[in-house]
Amino acid sequence: MRNAKEILLRLGVKPVNSGAYAGEWLDTEGPELISYNPANGEELGRVRTATAADYEKAVAYAHESFKEWRMVPAPKRGEIIRQLGEELRVHKQDLGALVTLEMGKIIAEGEGEVQEMIDICDFAVGLSRQLYGYTMQSERPFHRMYEQWHPIGVVGIITSFNFPVAVWAWNAAIAAVCGDTMMWKPSSRTPLTAIAVQHIVNRVCERNGVKGVFNLVIGSRKEIGEALIHDKRIPVVSATGSCAMGRHVGEVVARRLGRSILELGGNNAIIVMPDADLKLALRAVLFGAVGTAGQRCTTTRRLFLHEDIFDDFTRSLVEAYKQVRIGDPLDPHTLMGPLVDQKAVRIYLEAMDAIREQGGKIIYGGEKVTEGVPAAGAFVLPTLVEAKNSMPIVQEETFAPILYLIRFRELDDAIRMHNDVPQGLSSAIFTTNLKYAEKFLSAMGSDCGIANVNIGTSGAEIGGAFGGEKDTGGGREAGSDAWKGYMRRQTNTINWGDDMPLAQGIKFGD
Ligand code: UN1
């Protein structure tokens, strides 16, 4: 059941795989990419990456396929996504386990990610019978005015290793019902997961005689990523990753006046007021800071503790951190798996040096885990640091389980520090005081795209629009009206009268 080879086999992933799909698996000849299990360093499989020529073939195909797909009625497109949701239900355990094998998140979270795919499919099916436009009141007699939403074209989807399947699904399910075709460039650290997803979606498409909607190109950022973001045939690029990556994508896409949907780094914080239900707060902080080994963009990275509870809460947190079981992410008792690779471990250790240099105090953790885990595994201790918000390292997003504890006295000060970072993704306050909660959610409160009360910063539902402000990039994906980012809006005015009145009452030549 949990044997890597069997899981891969069941998902159609071979020892060596083609890295590009566009109606068929292309005969790719790019450099071989090896996927390793971060929990033990073992090789999981290989992928022959796509070359520039493969990319060209795939994008031309996606572009051509759009002409047909855009004319399929949206509810019929929704039916494909309904079936995709069903297929994902069948493969939830295997695909979840593959996510775990390839990027190291614990199995509950691997399966949770597949559930997130299923949820967005369900959402998109309903959406396929909506995609509403407004009807407006015309100022002219015998005129009707309304707007409608049309498919926009080929959507480029660039995903990160940390949510290798859910974030694709947020984009793909919505783009598909919107009538777009797509080009997916997954992270080079999770190529097998992408191939498995492509096999699942292919089965649904084949059953329905649908071709060319979902295309895949696995390759380097330099070759494939650059080609994709520069490509005028791709009107929308949705990219998830670091702020540095997103700044580059945003610039390149803007230069050709394309549209980008950017979901970049976060530096998410929880404020805990003295009146809070502290048991709830503790659980939320633990999941937010330790979950996914601190590798969510919604991970809790800063914790503002009121001075009255600082010492007690910190003590409870240290106790809770000591109980965190670190190890094999496929073991259901494990709470924290490895980081994604040894490079991530290096970045974590460098952050520890920076913390010490900048005057931070490491209260718990700060080291690589070597005992009781495979030597080649990328395991680290979750870490608690007493810090100041202004420290350069605190201002940065380090993709690792490091939580900075910051003391405050007045809520206004906490909110000011909370907002005083470059990023603006997710945020939370724990309080039972209505006034504090409402202040935090108000225009003078959190400046993030997501702001919660008595809920942590991570683990958002798909029904809301997901994304954030400032260096987080401003994009919105998943629920609410995020679908509008994947369509073009057209305003239509129809004159059904016998005269030709002009707007603004202009008289012209009569
Ligand atoms: C991400 O880390 O890129 O809100 C996405 C959450 C998840 C999605 C995270 N539903 O934590």
Side-chain angles (χ1 to χ4, degrees), residues 14 47-48 57 136 190 214 252 263 278 350 363 399 406-407 420 453 462 496:
K14 303 181 200 87
V47 176
R48 289 188 319 266
K57 209 165 161 182
M136 284 74 76
T190 48
F214 306 94
V252 171
E263 200 257 285
L278 296 176
E350 281 164 14
I363 303 172
F399 231 48
I406 300 157
R407 200 183 288 260
D420 189 18
V453 176
I462 57 91
W496 56 279

Side-chain angles (χ1 to χ4, degrees), residues 293-354:
Q295 299 170 110
R296 289 191 189 219
C297 39
T298 50
T299 290
T300 309
R301 308 207 177 276
R302 296 174 299 145
L303 181 63
F304 292 99
L305 294 173
H306 190 274
E307 61 180 17
D308 289 353
I309 54 156
F310 189 96
D311 293 337
D312 282 351
F313 199 88
T314 302
R315 248 192 309 278
S316 313
L317 211 47
V318 170
E319 281 314 305
Y321 268 51
K322 282 185 189 157
Q323 309 297 316
V324 172
R325 287 182 65 155
I326 302 169
D328 178 5
L330 282 173
D331 179 344
H333 301 294
T334 301
L335 220 51
M336 199 179 108
L339 293 180
V340 68
D341 55 20
Q342 295 297 342
K343 187 175 160 210
V345 175
R346 231 176 15 252
I347 290 171
Y348 164 91
L349 293 173
E350 281 164 14
M352 294 308 138
D353 293 340

